[in-house]
Amino acid sequence: MGTSESVPAKRKELNEWMTGEAAGELPPFELAVAFMEACQESSMAGGVGEALREVEVGKATTVSFALDGESEYKLRDEGAAALAALLKGNTTIKKLVLDDNLIGDAGLKALSIALAKNRSITELSLKGNHFGEQGMEALARALTVNRSVESLVLERCQRMGENGMKHLAGALKDNNVLKSLNLCFCDLTDAAVNHIAMILPANKALRALYLTDNCFGSLARDTLYLKMRKSVATLVLKAGDNRGTGSEHTFHNVHISRKGTFFSTPITLSRARNETSGPIFTLHDPDFKELMADRGIQRVDLTGFRGRADVPEAAGQLR
């Protein structure tokens, strides 16, 4: 196995292409292949090279770049541009995983050019990358024309901000393909979430929206309630490891669905002890009482609690 000395050299060539007169275009296929081969010959970046080879060969249906290790193992912007060039001719990949690859705005811009033309990728995961508003603007443009991506994971992408969500929301107005959007752990504020909430009535495709562990408060949560479509709904509360010891506890894994639309938000439960039946958990948030009456929630699932969870009584509290 060779050294990794040629990998930085090829990264430099890719960077010069991306920042030169050809900025905004994908690098030549030959340069992408040269970067791939340099990675393959490297003792440190071999995993990246092999994953790029899978894309170039065009037989694999799932390709993952979610590799362990230091920055040499990561795609970064230059590697993302090389990947985008190789994706142009690929028609087999269904699932592409690019988690934690230090991809910034320039890398996402390149990937978005390829994504706008790709017709095979149905699942795209960009978890934990470093792109911000400019990258999201490019991705949004791609999503307005892409007709294959049904699942998009942006979890832990914490630099998108309010304007990034504004761009994304604009794309979702016209996108009728995307069914699942994961925005967990993205540090999204009320203003950022409101952009997404406002397009929910018009979007007919989105079935799953995940917003666990963000920074928005009750105002954005209420907007989400109001904008989600009215129909049969299910409220699911799963305790997991959040069992607490006091009389009240806030859970952060709540899924409310209407016509299959889901999101996650905190909710507080009261816990009282019944001498014969054990703990009884009841909902006491007035927003959820209104939600039950106004949105048609039919079932409360308290799966995962220790002791007895009195589901009928909890549902009665909502009514």
Side-chain angles (χ1 to χ4, degrees), residues 102-296:
L102 302 179
I103 298 171
D105 287 331
L108 187 55
K109 286 179 181 179
L111 287 168
S112 297
I113 294 173
L115 190 63
K117 300 178 180 179
N118 184 276
R119 295 293 180 269
S120 65
I121 297 173
T122 60
E123 298 179 58
L124 176 62
S125 182
L126 293 163
K127 186 186 302 183
N129 281 292
H130 294 176
F131 46 81
E133 175 186 342
Q134 293 182 10
M136 286 302 297
E137 184 177 11
L139 179 61
R141 285 198 299 267
L143 290 175
T144 61
V145 296
N146 179 275
R147 293 294 178 264
S148 62
V149 175
E150 298 180 354
S151 173
L152 176 61
V153 178
L154 298 173
E155 182 177 329
R156 290 191 288 103
C157 296
Q158 298 176 342
R159 304 182 185 188
M160 299 182 292
E162 178 187 349
N163 286 333
M165 290 302 97
K166 184 176 180 180
H167 293 309
L168 181 59
L172 293 179
K173 289 181 181 178
D174 301 316
N175 183 294
N176 59 3
V177 178
L178 190 68
K179 297 179 180 179
S180 177
L181 176 60
N182 187 331
L183 295 170
C184 297
F185 299 94
C186 288
D187 287 345
L188 299 181
T189 62
D190 286 64
V193 172
N194 279 339
H195 287 302
I196 301 297
M198 296 303 289
I199 60 89
L200 291 178
N203 184 290
K204 305 302 181 184
L206 195 63
R207 293 290 180 268
L209 174 59
Y210 301 99
L211 291 165
T212 302
D213 286 282
N214 279 288
C215 300
F216 63 90
S218 59
L219 290 177
R221 184 191 64 183
D222 291 346
T223 303
L224 285 165
Y225 291 167
L226 292 172
K227 296 300 179 181
M228 292 172 73
R229 296 183 292 277
K230 294 183 180 182
S231 69
V232 175
T234 301
L235 174 62
V236 181
L237 308 179
K238 295 188 177 180
D241 294 327
N242 302 316
R243 294 190 172 91
T245 57
S247 61
E248 292 187 357
H249 193 74
T250 300
F251 295 89
H252 294 268
N253 187 22
V254 178
H255 302 280
I256 300 173
S257 67
R258 268 184 294 292
K259 284 188 177 177
T261 302
F262 298 83
F263 68 89
S264 299
T265 186
I267 182 177
T268 302
L269 301 181
S270 289
R271 180 171 59 182
R273 176 163 292 278
N274 183 305
E275 294 301 327
T276 59
S277 60
I280 296 176
F281 295 87
T282 57
L283 300 166
H284 61 81
D285 188 330
D287 289 330
F288 282 90
K289 295 180 182 179
E290 178 184 353
L291 188 65
M292 172 58 117
D294 193 40
R295 303 293 194 272

Side-chain angles (χ1 to χ4, degrees), residues 54-74:
E54 289 184 351
V55 177
E56 193 265 338
V57 170
K59 292 184 179 180
T61 58
T62 299
V63 177
S64 175
F65 289 84
L67 307 171
D68 295 328
E70 301 302 325
S71 60
E72 190 64 35
Y73 286 85
K74 310 298 183 181

Side-chain angles (χ1 to χ4, degrees), residues 33 42-43 52 95-96 99 116 118 121 126 133 189 226 266 277 302 307 310 318:
V33 170
S42 167
S43 59
L52 287 169
K95 182 176 182 179
L96 182 61
D99 299 351
N118 184 276
I121 297 173
L126 293 163
E133 175 186 342
T189 62
L226 292 172
S277 60
L302 298 175
D310 195 316
L318 281 176

